[in-house]
Amino acid sequence: MTDAPHHRPRFTETVGLIAGREISTRLRSKAFVISTLVLMAAVLVSVVLGSVFGSNDDPARVAVVGEASAAAAEAPGLEPVVADDLAAAERMLRAGDVEAIVADEASDPLGITVIGLDSPPNQVVGALSVRPSVELLERAAADPLLAYFVAFGFGIVFFFAALTFGQTIAQSVVEEKQTRIVEILIATVSPRQLLTGKILGNSALALGQVVAIAALAILGLALTGQRVLLGGLGASVVWFVVFFAFGFVMLSALFAATAATVSRLEDVGTVTTPVTMLVMIPYFLVIFFNDNPTVLAVMSYVPFSAPVGMPVRIFLEQAAWWEPLLSLAILLATTAVAVLAGERIYRHSLLRTGARVPFAEALRGR
């Protein structure tokens, strides 16, 4: 009687087990749960404060034309100013005497329309009991303060998530080397499977955290009535999530590879400094140069800063429709190279203890 053949787990099965272990370990960490809740609370508070400080209780002066004056007079929060005709009302609007024009509009089901100068007159629209059609005489650039907060939001979420989970991967790699657990793991799984599982597990957690933050921010904007901001922010948030997903895979491979070259936790900070700088530089660039189209354009095509630079450009409507696709293609290619190089360094350094393994030596496999 012969023994049944031993079933060797497939690559995907092993990777799934390792990724599941990474996820469950992190979810059981109180520090991780608390930091996530604090970050989400901060996002919700910022959305609510934006709604509070963005509101205006002073009556809005509006130029009224024709029978639309009756609707404006009945609306609370509006101060109607009668204009002889639409041309006169437009002169008042351009001169800054009024915030908007309320005029008759036969084609509108409500019979009126609201006309703004270069941005939607939200206070006027909100004061009316109905939602009339809104027109703009000119298209303005995004509000500088709003653009700054959007850039800051993308920058801080990318910085916090990438650095937190990247350092987690690095510390996990060195802990396994220092305690020699990796020697037991390598006896049953390959270094490629181990690295892939670590990257996928932490990437899933990081992406989940980013998606939760984005969903909370969108929900907060919707519940606080900031629908105009929500409409302009939606596309850029979606692109941010997509770019972050691939960008973090690239960074996590580099964090794991650099950490594998050392054997003590005390050396993790030093050896991962170059990767940490790749996370920090986009954050500082977008904070200080969010109003510089040239810097943002360069950032949107550099793989390490594209997850921040391109979404900001999309929000500011500075990017053509094809630019995010081209930037994403560059990021995908760079991620593939980073993963291959990182896997090679990781594989050739994992079982070597003692002195730090030089990167060039690890790449050559000596």
Side-chain angles (χ1 to χ4, degrees), residues 38-126:
V38 169
L39 183 59
M40 295 180 71
V43 170
L44 187 59
V45 168
S46 65
V47 171
V48 173
L49 290 178
S51 174
V52 171
F53 291 117
S55 61
N56 187 359
D57 296 330
D58 296 332
R61 287 172 55 87
V62 295
V64 295
V65 182
E67 298 180 0
S69 58
E74 295 174 359
L78 295 184
E79 181 182 343
V81 179
V82 178
D84 295 333
D85 50 33
L86 190 58
E90 184 175 322
R91 287 193 295 272
M92 295 169 63
L93 179 60
R94 293 185 181 278
D97 298 329
V98 295
E99 297 183 22
I101 301 171
V102 180
D104 300 329
E105 179 57 68
S107 62
D108 190 272
L110 303 174
I112 60 173
T113 185
V114 174
I115 303 174
L117 179 60
D118 57 10
S119 61
N122 299 325
Q123 184 181 357
V124 177
V125 175

Side-chain angles (χ1 to χ4, degrees), residues 142-342:
D143 178 77
L145 183 61
L146 176 60
Y148 174 81
F149 279 115
V150 169
F152 177 80
F154 285 140
I156 194 65
V157 171
F158 174 78
F159 174 79
F160 182 86
L163 196 59
T164 299
F165 288 96
Q167 288 292 346
T168 297
I169 293 176
Q171 291 176 4
S172 174
V173 169
V174 178
E175 284 176 355
E176 291 173 351
K177 287 189 64 174
Q178 190 170 355
T179 58
R180 295 190 177 275
I181 292 178
V182 69
E183 297 177 8
I184 301 175
L185 293 173
I186 294 302
T188 55
V189 301
S190 69
R192 179 173 297 175
Q193 290 171 322
L194 184 58
L195 177 62
T196 304
K198 285 182 175 294
I199 291 176
L200 292 182
N202 284 275
S203 295
L205 282 172
L207 185 61
Q209 188 180 75
V210 169
V211 170
I213 291 172
L216 184 63
I218 291 174
L219 179 62
L221 290 172
L223 293 178
T224 55
Q226 303 180 71
R227 291 179 174 81
V228 174
L229 175 57
L230 177 60
L233 195 58
S236 57
V237 169
V238 172
W239 277 109
F240 174 74
V241 172
V242 172
F243 272 88
F244 178 86
F246 295 104
F248 181 76
V249 170
M250 171 185 62
L251 291 170
S252 60
L254 297 179
F255 270 112
T258 52
T261 61
V262 297
S263 304
R264 301 187 311 162
L265 285 173
E266 295 83 354
D267 299 328
V268 172
T270 302
V271 77
T272 59
T273 296
V275 188
T276 302
M277 294 301 295
L278 295 178
V279 177
M280 296 179 64
I281 289 174
Y283 170 70
F284 288 111
L285 284 177
V286 81
I287 293 300
F288 293 109
F289 298 100
N290 62 86
D291 57 348
N292 189 315
T294 302
V295 174
L296 289 177
V298 173
M299 286 181 62
S300 65
Y301 287 104
V302 176
F304 303 104
S305 58
V308 177
M310 185 55 77
V312 172
R313 290 188 66 214
I314 292 172
F315 173 75
L316 297 175
E317 298 184 347
Q318 296 178 359
W321 67 268
W322 53 267
E323 290 190 79
L325 300 176
L326 176 59
S327 176
L328 184 61
I330 296 173
L331 176 59
L332 288 173
T334 308
T335 298
V337 173
V339 169
L340 291 174

Side-chain angles (χ1 to χ4, degrees), residues 9-52:
R10 291 180 297 179
F11 183 88
T12 54
E13 293 175 347
T14 304
V15 168
L17 290 174
I18 297 171
R21 186 196 66 168
E22 292 289 323
I23 293 173
S24 62
T25 301
R26 289 292 287 163
L27 291 179
R28 288 196 300 266
S29 170
K30 291 183 179 179
F32 169 74
V33 174
I34 293 174
S35 63
T36 300
L37 292 177
V38 169
L39 183 59
M40 295 180 71
V43 170
L44 187 59
V45 168
S46 65
V47 171
V48 173
L49 290 178
S51 174
V52 171

